[in-house]
Amino acid sequence: MIRLLLADDQTLVRAGFRSILEGEDGIEVVGEAADGAQAVRLARQLRPDVVLMDIRMPGLDGLAATEEIAAGTDVRVIILTTFDLDDYVYGALRAGASGFLVKDTEPAELIHGVRVVARGDALIAPSITRRLISEFTARAPHPDPGPRLSALTEREREVMALVAEGLSNDEIAARLVLSPATAKTHVSRIMTKTGVRDRAQLVILAYESGLTVPGWISRP
């Protein structure tokens, strides 16, 4: 059973998400929060598997709430945003979010996103997230490989770069002519070596370290 916490300052929005998600087998809405502070408190108290977090809420906003939840629990956060080019989205991923969805997403995509994040993967939708990552990493400080990449083998760096492109394990396996199980093992080892919590954080690290750069930015 996937235990879910809804965090949005609009009662009708929470009711809409609840009606969609509670009708699905294996998903239980265990709580609702009307602001970021309440979301943090309930996340610590209820220990849901996933929080659906509105990024703009009164008081403590979704970005700050996500950072607190990610720092103090193993609860995974999906950011909800009205616009797919919201300036806060990249910051939310850096703060520890496992992905994001726009609020007008189709019900099937919402359900799929919850299931993906609950099983430990990141919600990296190529149609939106790749574009956002490319745009906002251009505003990040100068890339710094740091010590975390030094422990990776050449193959692991190659796999990490493909994760940053938004490829799934199956797609990575096809690209590198590996079995899906081997691709999954590589990704797991990379996450362990770099100390990241999920694929979203691995994508951020790939860009911030300079392992991957947006296609329209030329390397020096």
Side-chain angles (χ1 to χ4, degrees):
M1 181 68 70
I2 298 171
R3 303 175 74 254
L4 185 69
L5 174 65
L6 304 176
D8 195 294
D9 61 325
Q10 298 182 48
T11 303
L12 288 178
V13 171
R14 296 198 308 271
F17 285 134
R18 178 183 280 273
S19 66
I20 292 170
L21 292 162
E22 280 199 329
E24 290 298 308
D25 291 338
I27 296 178
E28 176 188 9
V29 177
V30 296
E32 295 185 18
D35 58 46
Q38 188 179 19
V40 173
R41 186 167 60 252
L42 289 177
R44 290 171 176 167
Q45 175 186 335
L46 300 174
R47 294 289 175 152
D49 300 299
V50 178
V51 179
L52 279 180
M53 178 81 74
D54 184 19
I55 203 161
R56 291 191 174 113
M57 289 185 290
L60 191 72
D61 65 16
L63 179 59
T66 295
E67 189 167 11
E68 288 196 28
I69 291 171
T73 73
D74 58 359
V75 176
R76 298 182 182 277
V77 178
I78 299 175
I79 290 294
L80 295 167
T81 179
T82 304
F83 305 104
D84 65 355
L85 284 178
D86 192 322
D87 281 3
Y88 291 108
V89 170
Y90 177 66
L93 291 173
R94 291 193 66 196
S98 293
F100 75 96
L101 290 168
V102 291
K103 281 190 173 181
D104 62 354
T105 189
E106 293 295 324
E109 186 176 353
L110 173 65
I111 294 163
H112 173 71
V114 169
R115 295 191 189 281
V116 164
V117 169
R119 68 173 180 250
D121 291 332
L123 187 60
I124 303 294
S127 61
I128 297 175
T129 310
R130 241 183 257 170
R131 175 161 50 91
L132 280 166
I133 295 288
S134 293
E135 176 158 342
F136 294 116
T137 49
R139 307 178 189 181
H142 186 72
D144 178 13
R148 289 195 283 180
L149 295 192
S150 62
L152 301 182
T153 66
E154 193 61 36
R155 173 62 90 183
E156 287 169 343
R157 286 171 178 255
E158 190 175 11
V159 170
M160 183 173 171
L162 294 178
V163 171
E165 288 184 26
L167 272 63
S168 67
N169 288 342
D170 287 347
E171 290 169 333
I172 291 171
R175 179 79 65 87
L176 299 180
V177 195
L178 304 170
S179 71
T182 299
K184 182 178 180 180
T185 298
H186 277 310
V187 173
S188 296
R189 285 177 179 168
I190 294 166
M191 290 171 60
T192 298
K193 287 183 177 182
T194 56
V196 301
R197 58 184 279 151
D198 58 29
R199 293 173 80 100
Q201 298 302 295
L202 198 59
V203 170
I204 296 298
L205 178 61
Y207 278 98
E208 290 188 336
S209 67
L211 179 66
T212 302
V213 298
W216 47 272
I217 298 178
S218 59
R219 292 183 183 271

